[in-house]
Amino acid sequence: MDKIYVHGRIPLRGQLTLQGSKNAALPILAATLLTEETCVIHNCPKIVDVHQMLHLLGRLGCEIRWENDGVRITGRTCEGESMLYPEVGQMRCSILFLGALLGSSKRVELPYPGGCVIGKRPVDIHIDALSKMNVDISCKDDTLIAQTKGMIGERIFLPFPSVGATENLMLAAVKALGKTQIEGAAREPEVVALGQFLKAMGARIRGLGSSTIEIEGGMPLHGAEFVVPADRIVAGTYMLACMSTGGNILLNEAPIEDMGSFFHVIREMGGSLQIEQQQVYLQAPKEISPVLYLKTEVHPGFPTDLQSPLLSTLCLAKGESCIQENIFEQRFHVVPWLTQMGAKIELLTPNLARVIGVEMLKGAQVKASELRGGAALVVAALGAKGETVIEGKKFIDRGYANICKDLRDLGARIYSV
Ligand code: UD1
């Protein structure tokens, strides 16, 4: 089941309700470790990364039960934690176990989180920030060892508004003694969702969605229910697929407040949008206009996770576009595969791509090597003439609960075998 077959150039039409957000769900699942009581996480996406995270919670002694649209997690007690399982190191978000466990464990051991093909993905900001909270962190033979006699709240300035580091600090600060102030915090909606969940558990947090987050530590935390917001990256991927195929789609329960910069780009490409309450209707243009210059940025700028799918759609624009990747160092891995499908893309620097629109992309045998690059290949294949076979579905399954079925519901011819 690792291949996806796509027969392209069928305009997407119809409506869809979006899955829950991967990037919101993962830190929220880590946060369930902060209480021994039961938490119920509704709209939790059934994606590979979530299953892996739940598997790790299970290894830590949590009881996990899926029910209807959500998952019920009942906590555990712990003293010291060694999480030296190979699967921990493979998950980038496993670094969040530091923040989530140090409140109840005096010592936490983790394999150093591995990088992935989009770049080195260091964790120095996480380590420097946690070290300021009376945590001693060392790295020996690719193992991170964190020890504390009790975390203490601090005023911490982040040199870059890292999403993961902000989340890690929030998880730690709710259990620390006294007040923590995070300056230069990430403002991404997923950080806000984590903060809302922590508040539902009893934490005292101010400033969510701004660059300064204040947390009053030491409040007793209890079980809570939470609904994971819809996934803005999945929404964007399907809208770009609609643009590439010249269709019209309606997305229900879309996180429209968080998609402003993306909607701006869709309009620049000639897409017509109708936005009402939590629904967005997109009518693709007859001809896609190029995007003269776009750079990926921290929120509320254009999200790096939609850069690769956008690249695929811009291959079909009438004219030349320029895209600059500002967040990760190697996020143009998909370019050789798009070129194989007939795209004309020139990498002016490793992080700056010039896309010269072509009349047509054509089906080919291609291979995904990471999540969003894989989604970009699906978008390209839907807009290409003939059949495309995409290998590496497992990467796409990390973040899309049911990409083939969702797109089939919108009229696409797409199957996995
Ligand atoms: C990033 C994205 C996030 C996306 C997620 C999943 C941004 C700002 N972050 O979050 O929107 O949902 O990927 O794809 O767009 N960095 C360091 N040292 C650190 C931490 C990060 O140098 O300790 C660097 C990274 O290498 C990267 C940049 O900071 O170049 C962004 O990192 P960060 O926001 O932490 O990444 P994620 O939390 O993975």
Side-chain angles (χ1 to χ4, degrees), residues 11 71 79-80 106 155 169 175 202 237 263 292 324 353 402 411 417:
V71 61
E79 276 305 315
K106 296 203 163 29
R155 185 161 179 226
L169 279 177
K175 291 270 186 166
T237 306
F263 288 165
L292 297 186
Q324 171 131 29
N402 225 330
V417 181

Side-chain angles (χ1 to χ4, degrees), residues 153-157 179-183 212-215:
E154 239 323 326
R155 185 161 179 226
I156 294 164
F157 182 82
K179 188 165 122 180
T180 298
Q181 186 162 328
I182 311 171
E183 304 271 5
T212 303
I213 299 178
E214 283 177 6
I215 300 170

Side-chain angles (χ1 to χ4, degrees), residues 91-325:
M91 273 189 85
R92 160 92 189 155
C93 72
S94 60
I95 189 73
L96 296 177
F97 285 120
L98 280 188
L101 287 172
L102 280 169
S104 51
S105 309
K106 296 203 163 29
R107 182 183 165 97
V108 178
E109 292 181 4
L110 274 184
Y112 195 92
C116 74
V117 294
I118 67 173
K120 283 203 296 283
R121 308 189 83 167
V123 290
D124 53 315
I125 302 176
H126 301 239
I127 291 174
D128 290 352
L130 287 171
S131 301
K132 295 204 169 83
M133 299 178 70
N134 197 33
V135 181
D136 181 43
I137 306 182
S138 55
C139 187
K140 201 174 154 215
D141 303 329
D142 278 341
T143 300
L144 278 176
I145 303 161
Q147 300 184 83
T148 184
K149 292 201 169 98
M151 288 184 293
I152 300 175
E154 239 323 326
R155 185 161 179 226
I156 294 164
F157 182 82
L158 298 183
F160 175 84
S162 155
V163 172
T166 304
E167 292 168 344
N168 227 342
L169 279 177
M170 289 164 70
L171 292 166
V174 292
K175 291 270 186 166
L177 186 69
K179 188 165 122 180
T180 298
Q181 186 162 328
I182 311 171
E183 304 271 5
R187 297 164 58 196
E188 267 66 2
E190 295 75 20
V191 172
V192 176
L194 172 64
Q196 286 166 342
F197 177 59
L198 292 172
K199 281 167 88 167
M201 294 175 84
R204 284 211 187 138
I205 305 180
R206 278 206 311 248
L208 290 172
S210 80
S211 314
T212 303
I213 299 178
E214 283 177 6
I215 300 170
E216 199 66 59
M219 295 296 140
L221 300 182
H222 47 76
E225 287 202 31
F226 194 75
V227 182
V228 176
D231 194 310
R232 62 191 172 113
I233 307 302
V234 172
T237 306
Y238 294 166
M239 288 172 75
L240 288 164
C242 172
M243 292 290 284
S244 293
T245 61
N248 54 72
I249 59 170
L250 175 73
L251 297 180
N252 296 313
E253 283 159 49
I256 49 177
E257 307 80 15
D258 302 327
M259 295 184 72
S261 57
F262 176 77
F263 288 165
H264 179 81
V265 171
I266 288 285
R267 288 194 173 106
E268 193 177 341
M269 294 196 295
S272 153
L273 292 174
Q274 280 172 37
I275 299 164
E276 244 173 65
Q277 290 170 354
Q278 292 312 112
Q279 289 185 317
V280 54
Y281 173 79
L282 166 65
Q283 170 69 63
K286 288 213 162 57
E287 196 172 80
I288 300 168
S289 304
V291 174
L292 297 186
Y293 175 74
L294 175 132
K295 58 175 188 240
T296 59
E297 289 175 290
V298 297
H299 193 74
F302 191 91
T304 175
D305 283 351
L306 282 172
Q307 181 264 104
S308 305
L310 174 70
L311 194 68
S312 296
T313 301
L314 288 177
C315 290
L316 294 172
K318 185 99 181 150
E320 229 177 271
S321 307
C322 235
I323 299 194
Q324 171 131 29
E325 172 57 51

